[in-house]
């Protein structure tokens, strides 16, 4: 049998085809590598490449899976709460401790195994159940061992311990997104609850708020985990504004220089927090806003002390002098957004002082026009009568 073409010719053609295929494969691989580099440079917005083809039968969309897993975790948590509250009295002390401890340890250990199998959503749901069970453990501990403990004091200590444990758990299982933000939210409570348990005064409560806000701002500026940063920013801004408003109210109602100085120290601490945020912030608008808030707090602190020392008529001029003195810092600060913020704070103080002086200025300028209606009247007894 004769081969057409001959074997040597056919072998040459096959080699040529293979070389063409290899060249095309190399070209496609280079193109694929370039596209992967573009997607990585785009960050989270770029979606990773996925194999083409229809999804496997029976596979639910990820969003539906997450919803179902979240609902399952919520139902498990409700069941655990119902067991703890309703069926608690039917077990002895040993049985109660054993059941809750075993379930809590199992719920906290399960996410590690689930993450190894790439079941991240399931691990998040089970971890949420474990965090809720630790709260139930703390409640059970007080119910059994510390029934006479002060509620606010126990809550302050428990929130501090739980925040520390959840933070360590989140750092140990870094792929979980729930424990670390939950720890940050829980960390807002210890100092405030402690101040309430100790029946501290307004100054101590305000200090507790500002210290917690300082912790939040420091965490937001130096952490790289986005959920933690968001939780810290929200907590820091909320407690910082609350503490600054409380310190301002204490400064306004201070009756003597000692109270004004104590409130001024709190205001200066709040100004320090805002200044650090202004220096470390990346966005120019955030830096300018934080610098402006810090400048206003400094004016409120120093002006409050001057108000308690000077006569009442000189209160607003005292704040005005502090606002004008704030312009001296504008020439020293090298950062433009911070300069703009300080200048805005000084302008706001001067504008408020001008509004305060506007009625008196209007009377002084316009009241003498009434003299034209009575040119032959007697000489006024004093300046006030001459103006009014």
């Amino acid at each position: 049998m004769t081969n057409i073409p001959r074997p040597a010719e056919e072998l040459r053609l096959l080699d040529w085809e293979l070389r063409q295929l290899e060249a095309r494969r190399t070209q496609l691989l280079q193109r694929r590598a370039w596209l992967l580099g573009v997607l990585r440079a785009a960050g989270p917005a770029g979606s990773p490449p996925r194999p083409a083809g229809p999804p496997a039968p029976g596979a639910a969309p990820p969003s539906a899976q997450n919803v179902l897993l979240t609902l399952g975790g919520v139902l498990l948590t409700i069941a655990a709460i119902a067991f703890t509250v309703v069926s608690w009295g039917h077990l002895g002390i040993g049985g109660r401790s054993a059941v809750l401890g075993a379930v809590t340890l199992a719920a906290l250990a399960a996410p590690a195994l689930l993450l190894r199998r790439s079941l991240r959503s399931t691990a998040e749901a089970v971890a949420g159940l474990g965090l809720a069970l630790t709260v139930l453990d703390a409640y059970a501990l007080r119910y059994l061992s510390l029934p006479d403990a002060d509620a606010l004091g126990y809550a302050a200590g428990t929130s501090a311990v739980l925040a520390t444990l959840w933070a360590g758990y989140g750092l140990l299982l870094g792929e979980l997104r729930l424990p670390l933000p939950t720890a940050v939210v829980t960390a807002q409570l210890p100092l405030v609850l402690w101040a309430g348990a100790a029946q501290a005064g307004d100054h101590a409560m305000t200090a507790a708020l500002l210290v917690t806000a300082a912790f939040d701002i420091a965490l937001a500026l130096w952490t790289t985990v986005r959920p933690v940063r968001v939780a810290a920013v929200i907590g820091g801004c909320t407690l910082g504004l609350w503490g600054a408003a409380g310190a301002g109210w204490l400064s306004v109602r201070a009756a003597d220089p000692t109270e004004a100085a104590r409130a001024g120290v709190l205001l200066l601490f709040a100004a320090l927090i805002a200044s650090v945020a202004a220096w470390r912030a990346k966005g120019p608008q955030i830096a300018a806003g934080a610098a402006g808030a810090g400048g206003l707090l400094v004016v409120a602190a120093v002006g409050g002390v001057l108000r308690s020392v000077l006569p009442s008529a000189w209160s607003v001029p005292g704040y005005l002098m502090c606002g004008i003195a704030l312009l001296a810092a504008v020439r020293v600060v090298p950062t433009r957004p911070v300069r703009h913020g300080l200048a805005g704070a000084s302008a706001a103080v001067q504008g408020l002082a001008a509004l305060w002086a506007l009625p008196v200025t209007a009377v002084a300028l316009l009241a003498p026009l009434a003299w034209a209606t009575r040119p032959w009247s007697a000489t006024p007894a004093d300046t006030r009568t001459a103006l009014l």
Side-chain angles (χ1 to χ4, degrees):
M1 180 176 180
T2 304
N3 292 313
I4 302 175
R6 292 175 297 176
E9 182 67 19
E10 185 177 359
L11 180 60
R12 187 181 65 80
L13 292 175
L14 289 176
D15 290 340
W16 183 81
E17 291 288 345
L18 290 173
R19 285 195 298 270
Q20 293 292 330
L21 289 175
E22 189 66 26
R24 181 58 178 168
R25 181 176 180 274
T26 302
Q27 181 182 3
L28 292 176
L29 288 176
Q30 293 176 352
R31 181 65 178 175
R32 182 179 183 276
W34 181 82
L35 291 174
L36 288 175
V38 171
L39 290 176
R40 291 192 188 97
S47 58
R50 298 178 180 177
S63 58
Q65 292 179 3
N66 295 336
V67 171
L68 292 176
L69 289 171
T70 304
L71 290 177
V74 171
L75 291 177
L76 285 175
T77 305
I78 294 175
I81 295 174
F83 167 78
T84 303
V85 175
V86 178
S87 302
W88 192 252
H90 300 287
L91 296 175
I93 296 178
R96 299 169 186 176
S97 304
V99 170
L100 267 183
V103 173
T104 303
L105 290 177
L108 293 177
L113 301 176
L114 294 172
L115 289 174
R116 293 179 183 177
R117 297 180 177 272
S118 300
L119 300 175
R120 183 171 180 176
S121 299
T122 308
E124 293 282 355
V126 177
L129 174 63
L131 299 182
L133 288 175
T134 55
V135 179
L136 293 178
D137 291 336
Y139 164 76
L141 179 62
R142 180 178 182 273
Y143 183 83
L144 290 176
S145 303
L146 303 170
D148 298 330
D150 180 68
L152 284 179
Y154 184 79
T158 302
S159 59
V161 172
L162 289 179
T164 304
L165 291 178
W166 292 349
Y169 182 71
L171 293 175
L172 183 63
L173 300 178
E175 297 184 24
L176 295 178
R177 292 175 292 183
L178 182 62
L180 288 178
T182 306
V184 173
V185 174
T186 309
Q188 313 302 309
L189 303 176
L191 288 179
V192 178
L193 292 177
W194 170 82
Q199 296 182 354
D202 295 335
H203 292 82
M205 179 63 74
T206 305
L209 292 171
L210 292 177
V211 170
T212 307
F215 164 77
D216 291 332
I217 295 301
L219 187 62
L221 292 175
W222 276 279
T223 189
T224 57
V225 183
R226 181 176 177 81
V228 175
R229 185 187 300 116
V230 171
V233 167
I234 294 175
C237 292
T238 303
L239 297 184
L241 290 175
W242 188 3
W249 173 249
L250 292 175
S251 177
V252 169
R253 73 174 191 177
D256 53 33
T258 302
E259 293 185 3
R262 293 176 62 191
V265 170
L266 295 175
L267 286 170
L268 290 178
F269 182 50
L272 177 62
I273 298 173
S275 301
V276 172
W279 282 102
R280 298 286 300 181
K282 296 181 180 180
Q285 295 180 351
I286 298 177
L296 290 176
L297 291 171
V298 171
V299 171
V302 181
V305 176
L306 293 178
R307 182 192 61 81
S308 64
V309 176
L310 299 174
S312 58
W314 287 88
S315 298
V316 175
Y319 285 104
L320 178 61
M321 288 187 294
C322 295
I324 295 175
L326 191 63
L327 291 175
V330 176
R331 297 180 176 271
V332 180
V333 176
T335 308
R336 177 175 295 180
V338 177
R339 290 201 305 266
H340 290 171
L342 294 177
S346 177
V349 173
Q350 296 180 46
L352 292 175
L355 289 177
W356 173 81
L358 185 60
V360 179
T361 306
V363 169
L365 293 177
L366 300 179
L369 296 179
W371 297 350
T373 59
R374 49 182 188 277
W376 307 110
S377 60
T379 304
D382 51 20
T383 305
R384 182 180 179 83
T385 305
L387 290 178
L388 300 178

